[in-house]
Amino acid sequence: MKPMILDVDTGIDDMMAIAYATHSPEVKLIGVTTLFGNVTVEEATRNSLYVLELLGCEDVPVYAGADKPLSRNKDAYAKHVHGDDGLGGALLDALPKGRAESLTAPQFMVEQARRMPGQLNIVSVGPMTNLAAAIRLDPEFVSLVGQVVIMGGAVTVPGNVTPHAEANIHSDPEAAEFVFGSGLPIKLIGLDVTMKTLLPRTRLQEWRDKGTKMSHFLADATDFYIDAYERFSPGIGGCALHDPLAVGMVIDPTFCRTESMPVKVDTEGEHTAGQTYADRNVVPDGRPSIDVCLEVDAERFLAHFMSRVV
Amino acid sequence: MTEAKKIIIDCDPGHDDAIAILLAGANPGVELLGITTVAGNAEVDKTTINALKVCEIAGLLDTPVAKGAPQPLVRKRETAADIHGDSGMDGPILPTPTMTMSEEHAVDFIIRQLLASDGDITLVPTAPLTNIAMAMRKEPAIIPKIREIVLMGGGTFGNWTPAAEFNIFVDAEAAKVVFESGVPLTMFGLDLTHKAQATPEIQERIKQIGNPISDFVVELLQFFMHTYKEVFGFEGAPIHDACCVVYCIDPSIFTYRDLRVDIETKGEFSYGMTVVDMLGVTGKEPNVKVALDLDQDKFWQLMVDTLSKYSKSN
């Protein structure tokens, strides 16, 4: 079993990623780390704890991390996409029984990376602020981690919060630029592939048919999420499986075809901050390459995800 | 027949600028009130001489040519000698013009024409937007007088940097002024103009016209095709600037989308980019009509028909 930390800003598709990971025997979820992003870090921690309890995984510890970007202000959250509670309103004022551990998210990442050199999988599906902090906390972190799978960016396609920027990168461009150039062994799952892995609304009935509290909760939240997709892209008929695909790439790396290239992030532009640039066909400047996913076997992934998530 | 559309071409000839002038000079669909020049493909003294040469060979002897800004508003000047040659219009050899340029500065010419108009003048900038921005800043009263700005520039990709097209890159601050002015804008960016490629077959059709102007156009296209092949690997010559004039004559040749376009002036990699909101993610109101496709048959037929209007013995 591959040891995995999920770094989340839970979030509806974060919830799907957590459920998918806990139901997959190939991976062992050793902890969930949280940060701001879709919602505040407090909400992300609450939601993560609640979802783990719904899944019967109270034993998976949760560690809270960054409450804001490295050097920017954060005042707007993605409530229009993920709901006021971050879970499409499905939470209905429920609260988790458990609470976050005392270590911070970056401390936990560093501790686990030291405990199992070369073995740890970190799946980052929020802004890259916790990762950046972990690298700063322990300079050897970069060489101790097995792999980092990041949901973020739009290397060859348009963005989803500005014309060229994807939300996780846009939330903390400085962190992303630092992490991509850090030498961490990164697989980048961007909108290039995640917008091709659509979950059709018609499949939600399968979750409701399953009849568990979790499966109903997930279906209700996802209905809200798909409503948001319909507002932005009328007729789309579903939602993208951004965060689950990042988990999927740990379970089975053949879901996506990757290409190795240095990726830079715009940190200065008024309209382009957070844009991810593939530095192809350019004179090498020593920047490390990362593996960028450019094609996905969407049908096979969707089938796998649906067979596991509830 | 509808009334000819009054236009001022603000340009930096430039091979494709020259073709734009030649189309405007002969097509009854437009009335060319004047030509203003700016630094762009080459220094402004060169682009002005080139504009005069084109007017003279085309017999546009009464068309005012007013010289404008020698450099961008803020940034250092940058020219495109690798594409247009050192003169800005290398290739054809034309006689030194006897026509002289107007004594009026381009910016003042634009302001005077607009203020005196009934709001029926279309500006056609096919160069960096320095003159247009300067005119808007010098006399804001012209802004509501401009019927439409039909510009060549920008796109969803670049040709000068990966992000930026040359005209916008050279003076992005000026472009920002123009794009935020509120004037109706129609943008012919690279997404469109790269589809307007004069292939060797098209060039042969133009050659068959057999007048001095068509011969001149073929010479322009041959030089331009050569540099585009060398620099970009193209098989034809994209006649970017001419698209704007074709639009003024017959807008039904193109298809468009109303989109939000912002000009990036700060990014290290993205300076001069037209940030086009193709998916509507910004939530901002569209401010530009972006041309995205064209009817090839109608486009080249209009080109051939218009160039055929020049006499056999000019």
Side-chain angles (χ1 to χ4, degrees):
Chain A
M1 285 169 85
K2 299 173 185 172
M4 178 196 285
I5 295 174
L6 254 174
D7 191 39
V8 293
D9 54 340
T10 314
I12 295 168
D13 59 327
D14 306 68
M15 166 166 58
M16 295 181 202
I18 294 171
Y20 184 32
T22 58
H23 292 149
S24 291
E26 297 87 350
V27 300
K28 176 168 175 50
L29 187 60
I30 61 169
V32 168
T33 54
T34 64
L35 79 168
F36 76 94
N38 295 324
V39 292
T40 67
V41 65
E42 292 80 11
E43 291 165 332
T45 304
R46 176 198 67 198
N47 292 350
S48 302
L49 286 164
Y50 188 79
V51 168
L52 285 166
E53 287 170 14
L54 267 185
L55 288 162
C57 299
E58 300 85 348
D59 56 326
V60 176
V62 174
Y63 301 85
D67 65 345
K68 54 170 90 82
L70 292 182
S71 57
R72 292 179 187 242
N73 292 321
K74 175 80 181 172
D75 41 26
Y77 296 90
K79 307 260 165 167
H80 55 303
V81 181
H82 294 274
D84 280 338
D85 60 0
L87 296 175
L91 204 50
L92 299 173
D93 297 328
L95 286 175
K97 298 187 192 72
R99 51 188 297 180
E101 307 294 319
S102 56
L103 279 189
T104 65
Q107 285 172 325
F108 178 66
M109 287 180 181
V110 166
E111 179 195 84
Q112 294 303 310
R114 285 216 164 265
R115 202 165 66 82
M116 51 182 102
Q119 300 302 307
L120 179 62
N121 294 275
I122 299 179
V123 176
S124 156
V125 298
M128 269 127 272
T129 322
N130 283 345
L131 280 174
I135 295 168
R136 275 289 184 260
L137 201 55
D138 182 349
E140 289 178 42
F141 179 71
V142 163
S143 53
L144 290 168
V145 175
Q147 74 163 339
V148 181
V149 179
I150 293 174
M151 192 281 131
V155 180
T156 59
V157 297
N160 61 1
V161 284
T162 72
H164 297 288
E166 178 278 332
N168 287 339
I169 311 275
H170 188 258
S171 289
D172 195 347
E174 285 77 13
E177 167 61 11
F178 174 62
V179 168
F180 290 175
S182 68
L184 269 179
I186 291 172
K187 244 180 212 141
L188 190 68
I189 319 284
L191 301 180
D192 310 77
V193 283
T194 66
M195 287 306 291
K196 294 175 189 155
T197 56
L198 288 186
L199 171 67
R201 198 194 289 271
T202 50
R203 302 295 298 268
L204 300 188
Q205 191 54 43
E206 296 169 36
W207 296 353
R208 294 204 163 91
D209 291 346
K210 184 94 178 179
T212 67
K213 193 175 174 196
M214 177 63 197
S215 71
H216 275 284
F217 190 88
L218 195 60
D220 291 347
T222 305
D223 250 335
F224 181 96
Y225 195 48
I226 293 176
D227 287 344
Y229 269 82
E230 279 290 347
R231 280 198 304 279
F232 302 133
S233 316
I236 190 169
C239 61
L241 294 171
H242 304 289
D243 297 352
L245 184 58
V247 170
M249 279 299 280
V250 176
I251 297 171
D252 182 353
T254 67
F255 281 135
C256 292
R257 183 182 71 78
T258 64
E259 251 178 59
S260 183
M261 63 188 85
V263 173
K264 291 182 175 173
V265 179
D266 187 304
T267 56
E268 298 175 332
E270 179 183 1
H271 302 288
T272 57
Q275 176 170 5
T276 40
Y277 292 82
D279 212 1
R280 284 185 281 193
N281 309 319
V282 174
V283 183
D285 60 1
R287 189 179 177 87
S289 289
I290 65 176
D291 291 334
V292 178
C293 295
L294 294 176
E295 283 174 43
V296 58
D297 188 342
E299 213 171 305
R300 187 162 66 89
F301 168 70
L302 179 63
H304 190 264
F305 170 75
M306 288 301 290
S307 73
R308 292 279 176 84
V309 66
V310 295
Chain B
M1 158 124 210
T2 53
E3 210 174 318
K5 192 180 274 184
K6 291 177 181 166
I7 67 171
I8 296 171
I9 298 181
D10 182 61
C11 58
D12 56 345
H15 297 73
D16 48 333
D17 305 72
I19 298 171
I21 294 170
L22 294 170
L23 287 179
N27 195 293
V30 290
E31 179 186 349
L32 182 58
L33 301 179
I35 295 167
T36 52
T37 59
V38 68
N41 293 327
E43 293 78 0
V44 71
D45 286 338
K46 293 178 183 172
T47 60
T48 308
I49 291 284
N50 292 341
L52 290 167
K53 285 179 174 175
V54 173
C55 285
E56 193 147 307
I57 185 179
L60 305 171
L61 305 178
D62 298 326
T63 303
V65 175
K67 183 167 87 169
Q71 62 186 60
L73 296 182
V74 179
R75 298 258 170 157
K76 225 175 81 191
R77 186 177 57 228
E78 190 143 355
T79 56
D82 61 333
I83 300 295
H84 294 276
D86 185 57
S87 73
M89 209 171 72
D90 276 12
I93 309 294
L94 293 179
T96 305
T98 56
M99 265 177 82
T100 55
M101 67 182 186
S102 155
E103 283 177 15
E104 199 174 20
H105 190 277
V107 170
D108 296 321
F109 175 83
I110 291 168
I111 292 171
R112 182 171 57 81
Q113 290 285 338
L114 283 166
L115 289 182
S117 78
D118 298 326
D120 58 349
I121 297 177
T122 298
L123 297 182
V124 183
T126 62
L129 290 160
T130 320
N131 286 342
I132 310 297
M134 283 176 71
M136 285 178 169
R137 284 290 188 258
K138 186 171 183 187
E139 182 46 270
I142 66 169
I143 292 173
K145 287 274 205 173
I146 303 170
R147 176 176 172 180
E148 183 181 5
I149 293 177
V150 181
L151 67 99
M152 191 280 136
T156 60
F157 56 92
N159 64 1
W160 205 248
T161 72
E165 178 278 335
F166 178 79
N167 285 344
I168 307 294
F169 179 87
V170 168
D171 198 345
E173 284 77 11
K176 190 177 170 74
V177 170
V178 172
F179 276 66
E180 292 178 1
S181 68
V183 173
L185 288 181
T186 300
M187 178 173 122
F188 285 81
L190 298 177
D191 305 82
L192 184 287
T193 65
H194 278 185
K195 293 176 183 169
Q197 280 190 44
T199 58
E201 295 74 42
I202 297 287
Q203 293 180 33
E204 184 54 34
R205 272 178 73 189
I206 295 170
K207 196 174 169 190
Q208 294 300 325
I209 297 169
N211 66 36
I213 296 300
S214 61
D215 290 347
F216 170 56
V217 168
V218 169
E219 284 181 63
L220 288 169
L221 290 173
Q222 278 174 352
F223 182 90
F224 210 42
M225 184 168 70
H226 178 74
T227 58
Y228 259 84
K229 190 171 178 73
E230 229 162 52
V231 179
F232 296 110
F234 280 28
E235 294 301 324
I239 55 167
H240 309 279
D241 298 347
C243 298
C244 297
V245 173
V246 172
Y247 165 83
C248 292
I249 297 165
D250 183 0
S252 76
I253 287 176
F254 306 95
T255 55
Y256 317 87
R257 281 184 65 193
D258 288 323
L259 296 167
R260 179 71 204 185
V261 181
D262 286 302
I263 305 295
E264 179 59 54
T265 59
K266 294 181 178 158
E268 177 183 0
F269 308 114
S270 52
Y271 175 83
M273 182 180 200
T274 47
V275 181
V276 184
D277 189 5
M278 295 295 284
L279 301 182
V281 295
T282 60
K284 294 184 193 170
E285 283 297 309
N287 60 338
V288 181
K289 186 163 97 178
V290 181
L292 290 171
D293 215 339
L294 78 166
D295 181 327
Q296 295 282 349
D297 291 344
K298 283 169 79 179
F299 182 87
W300 295 110
Q301 194 59 49
L302 186 146
M303 178 77 56
V304 169
D305 289 348
T306 303
L307 294 177
S308 301
K309 293 181 194 297
Y310 286 100
S311 75
K312 296 276 178 201
S313 57
N314 205 24

